[in-house]
Amino acid sequence: MIKAPSQDYQIDIKALLERGNVATKKNLPVILRSLFFVIFIVLLSFVAFFNVYNIETVAQLEALQTETYFLNMILTVLLAPLWAGIAMMAVNTERKKDISFSQLFNFTYLILGLATAELCISLLTQVGMSLFIVPAIYIYITTSFTKFLIADKRMSPFVAIKVSIQMANQHLFKLSMLFLIFFALALLGMITFGLAFIWITPLYYNVTAILYNDLFNSQDEDQNVEHLTNTEESHFDA
């Protein structure tokens, strides 16, 4: 049985990182194989894109901004269920369930909802970037539970975004500190020419999965989610 958080649940960043580190040791081979598969799809798509348009210089790529934008949209749609699959592998690790590479494709039937959520979040982030970087960071942090809610609780994309933002707002300071730590780790990954990302990326997925499980896996939270799904299915009021 998974321990449900109390109403006074407080995010313990040190404990989360420690738990995430333990989980990463358990599921690293499967998570890495899944990540490499997704990265391979991305690289293959861009190689095909470069060949189709005979792109050889940065200037040529910049001249194809519209085409590049549509490629990014297509990849966002196609990869959305795969990212959700990786996220749920981390959740299942926390729930002491077996995971396998095949689970990467478990949520392809939810592609419409997952892709809609990803596109909406991407659009909101771009709007935030056009205003100032802080709104974009806020959107990125507060919507981080969206794909978990869609894949795990079968919520609609707009309700999932709303519920994610509402929950994240209750713990915004600690979440900001946690994401700041991962930003620093990402810089470390760049310094090591990407080698550190072999551990950092699975760690990120495991930490966010553990946090999602702590925040959303109580009976009271399930009832709140059900209420939101039934009464606010088509209403988004962040």
Side-chain angles (χ1 to χ4, degrees), residues 199-215:
W199 188 266
I200 294 170
T201 306
L203 177 64
Y204 169 80
Y205 272 97
N206 281 305
V207 169
T208 53
I210 290 168
L211 186 53
Y212 163 77
N213 206 56
D214 284 355
L215 292 174

Side-chain angles (χ1 to χ4, degrees), residues 23-131:
T24 302
K25 293 178 182 178
K26 294 180 180 178
N27 61 21
L28 184 63
V30 179
I31 296 289
L32 271 186
R33 200 183 341 164
S34 302
L35 286 169
F36 284 142
F37 180 80
V38 174
I39 293 171
F40 174 76
I41 293 176
V42 174
L43 293 177
L44 191 63
S45 299
F46 275 98
V47 168
F49 179 75
F50 288 172
N51 287 334
V52 168
Y53 289 98
N54 295 317
I55 299 173
E56 296 180 354
T57 65
V58 175
Q60 289 176 316
L61 180 61
E62 291 176 347
L64 295 171
Q65 291 184 358
T66 302
E67 290 82 354
T68 304
Y69 176 76
F70 279 112
L71 174 63
N72 288 331
M73 285 188 61
I74 292 171
L75 286 175
T76 298
V77 171
L78 294 179
L79 298 180
L82 301 186
W83 293 124
I86 295 174
M88 288 306 299
M89 287 180 195
V91 171
N92 286 333
T93 299
E94 172 63 10
R95 294 175 180 176
K96 307 298 186 293
K97 297 180 179 179
D98 293 333
I99 65 170
S100 64
F101 176 76
S102 63
Q103 293 176 15
L104 179 66
F105 309 98
N106 278 4
F107 303 98
T108 52
Y109 71 99
L110 294 174
I111 186 170
L112 182 60
L114 290 164
T116 300
E118 289 292 338
L119 290 172
C120 287
I121 292 170
S122 177
L123 178 61
L124 289 171
T125 303
Q126 290 178 25
V127 172
M129 288 294 291
S130 65
L131 297 173

